[in-house]
Amino acid sequence: MKDGRSPGTAWCLTGAGHFLKGSVELALRLGNVTFFLSRAGEEVTTMYGLMDIILKSGVRVVYDRTASSPSCGEMALGRFDRLVIAPATANTVAKCVNGIADTLPANLFAQAGKALVPSFFLPTDLESGVVSADPSGREFPVRSRKVDLENAERLSSFPLVRVAATLEQLEKWLTTSS
């Protein structure tokens, strides 16, 4: 990088609650991370009581406050050596698969692809019947639709993209790709 710092990880939080706590913890453990929060990501991170943890960690946080997402240009500038979208909602996965870059997460993915930056996803919809918990801790089943499962499968076929099935798999990939 031109400013002397090594590239880091752009970690995007979407509006998903499933895998959220573990994703935030993993990102902070790995270090050298910048959080990009979509509007829904900011809302859900606050609902799950994780915003204070992120802010107290001292990491850089980029909020989705503009229509054109100028912060996504940081991919082209070499400021990040990988993009992580975890957890990724079915909506984000669908937009990424179909080339729709009208949200912060989908725009980051588009720019990462153009800059040849590897992308790692942890979709919330990879199998039906998974149990998740709401912000109060009450558990409920996640019932994935066929189209959501198909989109996650399609995403895994994209160049420079890896789609993890678990937090453990994501962590393994991120710690071995450094």
Side-chain angles (χ1 to χ4, degrees):
M1 241 180 110
K2 292 177 183 159
D3 64 7
R5 292 179 297 174
S6 64
T9 300
W11 196 296
C12 189
L13 299 175
T14 68
H18 188 57
F19 296 129
L20 181 60
K21 184 175 189 285
S23 293
V24 169
E25 290 170 347
L26 174 57
L28 294 175
R29 252 191 338 271
L30 293 174
N32 198 15
V33 64
T34 297
F35 280 111
F36 287 80
L37 276 64
S38 69
R39 281 184 229 124
E42 182 179 355
E43 183 177 88
V44 171
T45 302
T46 300
M47 286 183 347
Y48 278 78
L50 298 168
M51 187 60 81
D52 286 340
I53 293 168
I54 291 171
L55 295 176
K56 287 178 184 173
S57 74
V59 300
R60 181 172 166 237
V61 179
V62 177
Y63 299 95
D64 188 6
R65 303 274 196 256
T66 61
S68 64
S69 302
S71 58
C72 295
E74 293 183 51
M75 285 293 169
L77 297 174
R79 294 199 176 129
F80 302 105
D81 57 5
R82 60 188 175 190
L83 168 66
V84 178
I85 301 180
T89 62
N91 185 54
T92 294
V93 171
K95 287 182 179 211
C96 292
V97 164
N98 288 293
I100 301 169
D102 65 348
T103 61
L104 181 63
N107 203 343
L108 280 166
F109 177 66
Q111 294 305 314
K114 292 175 182 182
L116 302 178
V117 173
S119 296
F120 299 83
F121 284 78
L122 179 59
T124 57
D125 290 87
L126 276 178
E127 60 181 325
S128 278
V130 174
V131 175
S132 191
D134 68 14
S136 72
R138 187 178 56 223
E139 293 186 345
F140 62 94
V142 176
R143 294 182 182 91
S144 300
R145 303 174 303 165
K146 181 181 177 198
V147 67
D148 299 329
L149 301 173
E150 290 169 352
N151 282 335
E153 182 65 29
R154 283 182 59 202
L155 184 62
S156 69
S157 71
F158 281 40
L160 296 173
V161 173
R162 295 186 92 175
V163 178
T166 64
L167 273 164
E168 294 78 19
Q169 183 178 43
L170 179 63
E171 182 171 13
K172 181 178 179 187
W173 287 344
L174 294 176
T175 56
T176 59
S177 72
S178 299

